[in-house]
Amino acid sequence: MGALLVDGIGDTMRISMTGDPVQEIRAAKAILKAVGIRKEGIEIVSCPTCGRTCTDLLAAVHQVEKALPQDKGYLKVAVMGCVVNGPGEAREADIGVAFGRGGCALFKKGEHFKTVPLERAVDALIAEAMAILEEREK
């Protein structure tokens, strides 16, 4: 089904699942978001981690997910495990962080704009993301 949508065939879908029909709606929305047809809320991209990852990336992703509002418009946020590949892999993100031992890089659209200490990286990312959302509301 996703392949058809990516090829531009259709923009609506019906998912049938056993159980609560509300799950059908959530599944359909998730597929539409995954193929880029529906852009709403916060979309978080992160890396699968490797030996260069120097933080608990899953905990950082959860902290960002919990802190950012889903009802303030669309924002693509990258939470990347290292500064080696992070900014390049997430260059299409509106805002992102790439963790590093000597400092974490904050970037917008793949361009580095600030370095912060590891212990402040998630809070700094959240603050920058909120500033973008607030600016877009104006």
Side-chain angles (χ1 to χ4, degrees):
M1 198 176 330
L4 294 173
L5 293 167
V6 169
D7 286 342
I9 301 171
D11 60 3
T12 306
M13 67 171 54
R14 168 74 197 269
I15 304 289
S16 296
M17 299 169 64
T18 302
D20 184 354
V22 171
Q23 297 304 321
E24 296 175 356
I25 296 167
R26 288 186 181 134
K29 284 182 178 180
I31 292 170
L32 291 172
K33 283 178 80 171
V35 298
I37 291 174
R38 186 178 193 118
K39 292 191 177 203
E40 63 182 23
I42 305 299
E43 178 184 356
I44 296 181
V45 296
S46 62
C47 65
T49 71
C50 69
R52 289 187 299 265
T53 303
C54 57
T55 193
D56 182 348
L57 194 64
L58 186 57
V61 168
H62 287 308
Q63 189 177 349
V64 172
E65 282 176 327
K66 194 173 186 181
L68 296 179
Q70 289 292 328
D71 62 348
K72 298 284 185 188
Y74 176 74
L75 187 69
K76 189 171 189 175
V77 180
V79 183
M80 308 305 284
C82 77
V83 294
V84 176
N85 294 326
E89 289 179 12
R91 76 177 54 87
E92 294 179 20
D94 296 302
I95 187 78
V97 65
F99 291 94
R101 285 178 175 76
C104 302
L106 290 176
F107 54 92
K108 292 179 183 175
K109 298 287 186 186
E111 297 294 324
H112 175 261
F113 73 95
K114 184 189 285 188
T115 301
V116 296
L118 179 63
E119 61 274 3
R120 290 198 7 237
V122 173
D123 290 336
L125 173 66
I126 291 167
E128 293 290 343
M130 290 300 294
I132 292 170
L133 290 170
E134 289 169 8
E135 181 64 31
R136 288 181 180 174
E137 278 190 329
K138 291 179 183 179

